[in-house]
Amino acid sequence: MLPAAHRLRDADSFRIAVRRGRRAGSRTVVVHLVQLDEVAPGTHPARVGFVVSKAVGNAVTRNRVKRRLRHLAREQLTSLPSSAVLVVRALPEAATASPEELDADLRRCLQRVQ
């Protein structure tokens, strides 16, 4: 589980990250990363949000994918700069991917956007 301070909840931050952030994609995920200091000055901890649409699968499948991604993103928090906003969008292939594949794809995408 992500600590509450690192959860991305407001729609404006999601929108800013997707529209203005750097993007990298793989077979299972698309990652958007933006530094909020560039957009809105202030000190915030790095925050992470997830987008898992109905195209990924039914509610059980979507929640499983979200839990796996949340766990993997928590491990990557230390590598994110402070005041960064990270949005991880799951693609339909994420439903059938193993946790190892999701981990490799997320790490690869994060390296490309940093």
Side-chain angles (χ1 to χ4, degrees):
M1 179 76 92
L2 280 173
H6 295 285
R7 292 184 204 149
L8 185 62
R9 292 190 180 116
D10 59 307
D12 289 337
S13 295
F14 272 95
R15 195 173 308 118
I16 288 170
V18 171
R19 289 185 181 167
R20 297 186 187 173
R22 290 180 299 222
R23 179 176 65 92
S26 68
R27 188 176 69 85
T28 58
V29 294
V30 177
V31 169
H32 302 269
L33 180 70
V34 68
Q35 286 284 102
L36 270 190
D37 283 343
E38 299 168 2
V39 180
T43 56
H44 303 283
R47 295 181 296 161
V48 183
F50 302 94
V51 178
V52 183
S53 75
K54 286 186 177 181
V56 174
N58 63 18
V60 173
T61 303
R62 291 193 311 268
N63 285 325
R64 181 175 9 119
V65 169
K66 213 180 314 183
R67 280 192 311 269
R68 286 179 179 172
L69 289 173
R70 198 179 303 127
H71 175 75
L72 296 171
R74 184 185 65 195
E75 296 173 354
Q76 301 298 319
L77 277 176
T78 57
S79 69
L80 294 175
S82 76
S83 75
V85 172
L86 175 68
V87 174
V88 180
R89 183 166 44 98
L91 298 176
E93 290 292 320
T96 57
S98 70
E100 293 80 19
E101 288 174 309
L102 280 175
D103 185 32
D105 285 351
L106 182 62
R107 286 177 191 269
R108 190 175 327 109
C109 288
L110 279 174
Q111 285 177 351
R112 283 191 275 176
V113 295
Q114 287 183 338

